[in-house]
Amino acid sequence: MTTTTDHGLAGHSPRLSEGLPVTTPNRKKFNWSFAARILLLLLAAALTLGPVLWTLTTSLRSPSESFKLPPSFIPWNPDFTSYGEVFKQLNIFLLVLNSALVTGVIAVGQMVSAALAGYAFAHLKFRGRGALFSIVLATMMVPVQVTIVPVFMLIRGMGLSDTLLALILPAIPTAFGTFLMRQYFMGLPAELAEAASIDGASPWRTFRSVYAPLAMPGMAIVGILAFNFHWNEFFRPLILTISEQNFTLPLGLVSLQGNLGTGSISVVLAGVVLSMIPALVVFIFGQRALQDGLTAGTGK
């Protein structure tokens, strides 16, 4: 006959467990910092997406329901007639073509000019480099409204008044892009230029074959930011163009307001939604390059 022995504390007498420390259930503390960050993110998302959502839903209402109070964010009976009115009132294809041409050329021009200027300030040594770069940075503090009169006089002197070139040429030099590309080139090793120089490469060949391919993420940032800014630009086209055939999309959208603002808000916002589509497409296809460029050099 065999007997079994229980080695656990549960089956022993109370005397064996008297000397053990008393344990309490592990309760997780509420993380107030994490909750505050989540609330801030939700608030930022609501402030950012709220106007976009209101614009989209209002464009899907009939004009009589546009001013309904309280406003509803869900159009239960979507009405697409406002989008048809946009195509009736505007030559939308010409406006989009003008905006795409102006914005695309400016974006490519800023990418090239900023890369060249940034490389020169970062890796080329010449007299007055620091003073000249300080002047370039100082121009970032000057608003476009201050320089519009000299730019207008210069454009008129060149015989380019009321042309698309009047919008393109003054916008290609970019102080911010030059600053951004200079910082990007300074993050690249200078030994590359020394090795290229030993192999007999000229400064232009060193830039084109060595540094420019490595700086593509930074150039992509300059191009995407330039596209988003000039796609929505209103002030300069308003001053520098007169003919409707040279109008860009923001100028055309203003005409949807009608005389003294008597136009339908649904039609205006339908035009705004249509104008957002190209910029949204550029952002979707360029967000990977934008992310790579912003995180380059962080070691992540």
Side-chain angles (χ1 to χ4, degrees), residues 20 37 41 46 52 59 70 77 81 85 89 110 134 152-153 155 164 181 185 195 250 266 285 287:
L20 296 177
R37 281 182 289 176
L41 289 176
V52 178
S59 68
N77 297 312
T81 56
E85 286 296 323
Q89 298 182 24
Q110 286 196 3
S134 299
F152 180 81
M153 299 295 289
I155 290 296
L164 296 182
M181 292 307 302
F185 280 117
S266 297
F285 285 97
Q287 62 176 340

Side-chain angles (χ1 to χ4, degrees), residues 275-292:
S275 70
M276 289 193 299
I277 294 176
L280 186 62
V281 171
V282 170
F283 176 76
I284 290 175
F285 285 97
Q287 62 176 340
R288 182 61 182 272
L290 185 63
Q291 181 180 0
D292 292 343

Side-chain angles (χ1 to χ4, degrees), residues 41-288:
L41 289 176
L42 291 176
L43 179 61
L47 293 176
T48 303
L49 297 179
V52 178
L53 183 60
W54 179 80
T55 300
L56 179 61
T57 57
T58 305
S59 68
L60 296 176
R61 297 194 188 99
S62 62
S64 60
E65 297 179 349
S66 301
F67 298 98
K68 181 180 178 181
L69 294 175
S72 61
F73 284 96
I74 301 177
W76 298 108
N77 297 312
D79 186 0
F80 292 91
T81 56
S82 298
Y83 289 87
E85 286 296 323
V86 173
F87 286 92
K88 288 181 181 178
Q89 298 182 24
L90 295 179
N91 190 351
I92 192 74
F93 297 106
L94 178 62
L95 296 174
V96 171
L97 179 62
N98 287 343
S99 288
L101 180 62
V102 171
T103 307
V105 174
I106 289 176
V108 174
Q110 286 196 3
M111 291 170 64
V112 175
S113 65
L116 290 171
Y119 176 75
F121 283 120
H123 290 289
L124 298 184
K125 296 181 180 179
F126 53 91
R127 181 176 296 179
R129 183 179 65 170
L132 185 60
F133 184 66
S134 299
I135 295 174
V136 172
L137 291 182
T139 60
M140 295 172 58
M141 309 300 171
V142 181
V144 66
Q145 289 81 2
V146 175
T147 60
I148 191 63
V149 173
V151 168
F152 180 81
M153 299 295 289
L154 184 62
I155 290 296
R156 191 176 66 174
M158 296 171 65
L160 297 176
S161 298
D162 194 23
T163 63
L164 296 182
L165 280 177
L167 303 177
I168 294 173
L169 293 180
I172 289 180
T174 165
F176 175 75
T178 301
F179 168 75
L180 185 67
M181 292 307 302
R182 175 184 177 269
Q183 300 304 113
Y184 200 91
F185 280 117
M186 290 183 69
L188 299 177
E191 289 78 7
L192 296 175
E194 297 175 358
S197 178
I198 293 174
D199 291 339
S202 62
W204 166 247
R205 180 65 182 274
T206 302
F207 166 77
R208 188 187 64 182
S209 302
V210 178
Y211 283 98
L214 296 175
M216 283 298 173
M219 295 171 66
I221 293 177
V222 175
I224 293 172
L225 294 180
F227 187 92
N228 284 332
F229 177 79
H230 291 284
W231 181 263
N232 301 316
E233 189 179 25
F234 178 78
F235 179 70
R236 285 193 322 116
L238 179 64
I239 301 298
L240 299 177
T241 59
I242 301 174
S243 305
E244 292 186 0
Q245 62 184 8
N246 293 323
F247 278 4
T248 55
L249 192 54
L251 290 182
L253 294 179
V254 173
S255 64
L256 293 176
Q257 295 180 351
N259 188 20
L260 299 178
T262 56
S264 170
I265 187 173
S266 297
V267 177
V268 174
L269 294 182
V272 172
V273 172
L274 291 175
S275 70
M276 289 193 299
I277 294 176
L280 186 62
V281 171
V282 170
F283 176 76
I284 290 175
F285 285 97
Q287 62 176 340
R288 182 61 182 272

